[in-house]
Amino acid sequence: MNTLPGTALLTMEGDLAAQMVEALNAYVTQATAAAPEKRETLWHRDESSHEAYVASVEPNRQRFRKQIGCCDARLPIEALTYSATTKTSAHLLKTETYVASRVRWPVFDEVEGEGLLLEPIGTPVAQVIALPDADWTPEMIAGITDALPPQAQFARRLAESGCRVVVPLLINRDDTYSGNAAIGAMTNQPHREFIYRMAFELGRHIIGYEVQKVLALVDWMSAEETPIGVIGYGEGGLIALYSAAADTRIQTTVVSGYFQSRQEVWREPIYRNVWGLLHEFGDAEIASLIAPRTLIVEASRGPEIPGPPPVRAGRGGAAPGQLVSPPQTSVESEFQRALPFYQRLSCEDALRLVVPDDGLPGADATLSVFLTGLNARLESAPTHPFGEPVDVDATLGAVGTEPGARLQSAPTLPERSTPTEPFDEEARQQRQFMQLVNVTQRFLREAASRRKAFFWDKTDTSSLAKWVASCADAKTYFWDEVIGRCPAPDVPANPRTRLLYDEPRWRGYEVVLDVWQDVFAYGILLLPKGISEGTKRPVVVCQHGLEGRPQDTADPRVDSVYHSYAAQLADRGFIVYAPQNPYIGQDAFRVIQRKANPIKLSLFSFIVRQHERTLEWLTAQPFVIPHRIGFYGLSYGGKTAMRVPALLDGYTCSICSADFNEWIVKNATYDSRYSYMFTGEYEMPEFDLGNTFNYGEMAALIAPRPFMVERGHDDGVAPDEWVAHEYAVVRRLYVQLGIGEWTEIEFFDGGHQINGEGTFQFLHRALNWP
């Protein structure tokens, strides 16, 4: 037969795997476009008063803080510390209005903020945290160097207006320290990406770390009643916006060269990837967390970054991504989306848009409104071409503008003292970078204890029924908050098949099943010959790995690490299904992951639903025993074996081959060449997985169903010690549940491949056939 009974003829031609990936890309693109309209259901705003409003959005604020990894208690802070050595003074210069010094301040045990303090000679009229772009140093916006035009030295100009100004250093986009030279593992990842990767797995983020440095300064400044403002440009604009959204003690905020529609955040560098961001927040919704406080959006030219540092000998692995200056139309449209939040609170004057004529950050109008919001005045500004003062009122571009402060005098660049020794800016950058590496590695060491509190302490091993019931909430959390739950299939399966193989013992059919409109699941069904009418058999689902295809597992003529194990199982009389998973096409599938993460989805969100549709179809076939469907996957297919059966009870058992190990360590450790920290698989980190589910916990969600690990001693995925360590968690659980015979691990003398000995016997036993 050229088709299976009950199916139409499959007529699709070409590369079905590539077509499936393309269809998923279109689906997630459409879901992203629909996100702004859907997210309002997550908000319950009470606009009856400013106080009621702030209280009503507090749940959104707390979720926002979690998403950006701003979740750890900071150290108490009583004062900043001057940064000096026997060779260098902390004090850089003194003018008629302020003193500039290098300082640091405590954040966490391993982490300090570093930067500049511009302290006014008299009593501060306001307190400001001024954030440069990641590739600018604090000295640049403080006028300590002349690398920027005077207009853009907004920290200096605010200090000259009587503000106490602290200028933190941000982690830059170079790749100098991105790796571990001690183990010979260096990358071309920007410093921000390198921190992002390890932190993301542990529920933290480079963004959250830098927000915490800002909020530590807010803690210090809050000891006085002088108002607090934050101003930032580029990456500093991002940190300023997020800091003000996270902490209501910040009275006035300027975001320059950043604010715009974030619908294409997936095109930006991966260190801006925030799990679930667009599900609940665009920049306008983040602005609504700042309302009714003052927010000034400055549409300056943003940083232009064409991509990560270049690939070169011994350095690679960075994720693609670029920064372009926010188009003014995008800035204005997002501003207009934010405006109604302020209007409904009758405080539209507190939201301003300024478009600098010269495109530089720190326009006169921006600083004037900023200081007005802090009950202060701007005391310096650029001179008019003819030497006349500039009228701020004439240059103010905003909604509901009111007269600003008159400019008092032209700026005067301070005289700089010459230090006895040049300051080592690179050493400061390395110090700040390594502090974030070290604190993240501490969080990695603490992750097992956090998982115990999150998962194991809430489970009940006294009976199988109580075990399953006690895992129900964790399973829901795993799907909703870690994998990401997309809508269930909403169209008929419309199965189409065609004959692909006709082997002595079985026939193979290509199968296509619809999942959503224009999105399908694809695979190959191997059906043993001679199954009499009314006879049913179990099914083994054989899942390929990265860049693989079902033909790799099913075609007996293909010589590969799979050893045609699907064909071997069909020869043994099993019905076998080999699905096509979408992790194929290099960056083509990784783009899906990049687009999916901001709408609180992942590649596995779609894989789970494709398998769900596949199970529905398989269990309906007259030749299938519906409650005896096993799963057996290699490599990325092994990764699937840990996640999909944990969520879909339709799989009777699961075998993880060439993947099972201490997964959190593999993703986040800085100290091993086995780590994904040093490879190009930038899609691997899953937000906050380290504090919730390692492979032991995922196997626990599969329990009490049979579970097995297949492990080659020479497999380069991880060392045996990592595998055995994590499997011990599983073995102990199954013994505690009284079902120790239903879990196994087989070590064999080989590498990253299917062995097919103990696992085949396990399948016969677990599926009770023949």
Side-chain angles (χ1 to χ4, degrees), residues 99-388:
V99 177
S101 308
R102 290 194 173 95
V103 292
R104 63 184 189 274
W105 58 95
V107 184
F108 309 127
D109 285 339
E110 301 90 338
V111 177
E112 294 179 316
E114 287 195 65
L116 302 181
L117 169 65
L118 310 183
E119 183 71 15
I121 300 298
T123 302
V125 298
Q127 302 185 93
V128 174
I129 301 161
L131 295 149
D133 178 56
D135 288 339
W136 289 4
T137 65
E139 288 78 8
M140 292 167 70
I141 64 168
I144 306 299
T145 72
D146 56 5
L148 297 177
Q151 173 83 3
Q153 297 170 11
F154 52 88
R156 172 189 60 80
R157 298 179 62 198
L158 291 167
E160 290 174 346
S161 296
C163 296
R164 169 186 288 148
V165 182
V166 181
V167 190
L169 176 80
L170 299 189
I171 300 299
N172 67 24
R173 303 184 184 95
D174 293 340
D175 66 0
T176 310
Y177 313 113
S178 294
N180 187 340
I183 61 173
M186 300 302 292
T187 77
N188 72 323
Q189 297 170 36
H191 293 147
R192 300 185 71 79
E193 178 181 343
F194 195 79
I195 299 298
Y196 156 85
R197 285 203 193 187
M198 63 174 71
F200 196 80
E201 188 81 2
L202 297 161
R204 276 77 172 187
H205 204 292
I206 179 65
I207 292 172
Y209 285 150
E210 292 188 330
V211 167
Q212 290 275 41
K213 292 182 180 183
V214 171
L215 299 189
L217 290 170
V218 174
D219 293 342
W220 173 62
M221 292 175 174
S222 295
E224 300 181 11
E225 295 183 358
T226 311
I228 301 169
V230 177
I231 177 173
Y233 166 72
E235 218 67 31
L238 182 160
I239 302 302
L241 179 69
Y242 283 25
S243 297
D247 197 318
T248 58
R249 295 175 297 175
I250 297 170
Q251 182 170 320
T252 303
T253 304
V254 172
V255 180
S256 181
Y258 173 76
F259 191 94
Q260 63 165 323
S261 169
R262 299 253 84 81
Q263 289 297 101
E264 294 196 338
V265 67
W266 65 272
R267 296 184 185 274
E268 299 176 31
I270 198 168
Y271 49 78
R272 288 187 173 184
N273 178 53
V274 173
W275 171 256
L277 178 70
L278 298 183
H279 177 67
E280 188 165 356
F281 305 98
D283 281 6
E285 284 78 15
I286 297 174
S288 80
L289 290 177
I290 298 173
R293 292 167 288 144
T294 300
L295 173 63
I296 302 108
V297 175
E298 185 177 62
S300 64
R301 288 192 305 272
E304 300 268 352
I305 308 294
V311 174
R312 53 205 189 276
R315 293 221 183 223
Q322 62 179 351
L323 291 180
V324 298
S325 180
Q328 187 168 328
T329 54
S330 181
V331 179
E332 291 174 349
S333 66
E334 195 69 7
F335 180 87
Q336 290 301 321
R337 282 209 323 112
L339 187 58
F341 300 125
Y342 279 77
Q343 289 174 330
R344 290 197 293 269
L345 293 171
S346 300
C347 62
E348 55 266 35
D349 287 354
L351 180 66
R352 302 296 188 94
L353 174 64
V354 177
V355 182
D357 291 337
D358 57 9
L360 294 174
D364 309 330
T366 301
L367 299 188
S368 180
V369 177
F370 178 62
L371 287 171
T372 299
L374 296 171
N375 303 317
R377 293 167 58 89
L378 184 64
E379 296 296 339
S380 68
T383 57
H384 187 274
F386 301 103
E388 300 172 0

Side-chain angles (χ1 to χ4, degrees), residues 39-66:
R39 65 175 66 120
E40 195 59 28
T41 61
L42 301 172
W43 297 75
H44 305 285
R45 306 175 199 272
D46 181 348
E47 294 158 345
S48 59
S49 69
H50 289 182
E51 293 76 13
Y53 177 83
V54 171
S56 71
V57 300
E58 187 59 26
N60 304 83
R61 192 187 322 281
Q62 292 306 316
R63 288 195 292 271
F64 176 73
R65 289 174 67 107
K66 176 177 171 57

Side-chain angles (χ1 to χ4, degrees), residues 553-575:
T553 72
D555 192 330
R557 287 162 289 278
V558 173
D559 183 17
S560 71
V561 295
Y562 299 100
H563 299 306
S564 304
Y565 76 112
Q568 289 190 59
L569 288 166
D571 284 340
R572 287 173 172 256
F574 286 105
I575 298 169

Side-chain angles (χ1 to χ4, degrees), residues 7 39 95 196 278 325 401 449 460 464 538 570 585 630 667 679 708 752:
T7 69
R39 65 175 66 120
T95 72
Y196 156 85
L278 298 183
S325 180
T401 59
S449 296
D460 186 344
L464 295 184
N667 274 273
T679 73
M708 184 175 180
H752 194 72

Side-chain angles (χ1 to χ4, degrees), residues 551-732:
Q551 290 84 350
D552 297 333
T553 72
D555 192 330
R557 287 162 289 278
V558 173
D559 183 17
S560 71
V561 295
Y562 299 100
H563 299 306
S564 304
Y565 76 112
Q568 289 190 59
L569 288 166
D571 284 340
R572 287 173 172 256
F574 286 105
I575 298 169
V576 179
Y577 189 78
Q580 176 71 63
N581 269 3
Y583 38 73
I584 187 170
Q586 301 294 331
D587 280 341
F589 83 83
R590 293 186 170 101
V591 163
I592 296 174
Q593 177 89 334
R594 287 295 311 275
K595 289 183 177 181
N597 268 195
I599 56 172
K600 204 177 179 183
L601 298 174
S602 68
L603 194 66
F604 273 96
S605 302
F606 313 116
I607 291 173
V608 169
R609 291 304 193 186
Q610 288 177 315
H611 278 260
E612 185 178 48
R613 175 47 49 97
T614 298
L615 284 170
E616 289 173 0
W617 180 74
L618 284 173
T619 56
Q621 299 311 300
F623 42 76
V624 169
I625 303 174
H627 59 279
R628 295 190 200 167
I629 301 178
F631 192 99
Y632 186 0
L634 175 84
S635 191
Y636 227 118
K639 186 179 180 185
T640 310
M642 299 309 304
R643 290 159 178 78
V644 173
L647 296 176
L648 300 182
D649 294 335
Y651 283 117
T652 306
C653 64
S654 185
I655 300 175
C656 178
S657 178
D659 184 72
F660 189 94
N661 71 98
E662 221 293 4
W663 185 255
I664 308 306
V665 169
K666 180 170 177 61
N667 274 273
T669 187
Y670 174 76
D671 296 312
S672 172
R673 289 294 297 268
Y674 288 106
S675 177
Y676 281 130
M677 284 297 304
F678 310 113
T679 73
E681 288 146 309
Y682 56 82
E683 82 284 0
M684 286 297 183
E686 296 159 281
F687 185 68
D688 203 29
L689 190 69
N691 298 314
T692 52
F693 300 93
N694 204 340
Y695 273 11
E697 287 77 19
M698 292 184 206
L701 295 181
I702 296 171
R705 292 167 288 162
F707 175 76
M708 184 175 180
V709 172
E710 183 177 52
R711 161 69 189 180
H713 287 305
D714 299 326
D715 193 335
V717 164
D720 281 348
E721 291 81 358
W722 290 10
V723 179
H725 174 274
E726 193 64 17
Y727 180 73
V729 176
V730 183
R731 178 68 189 171
R732 178 181 59 203

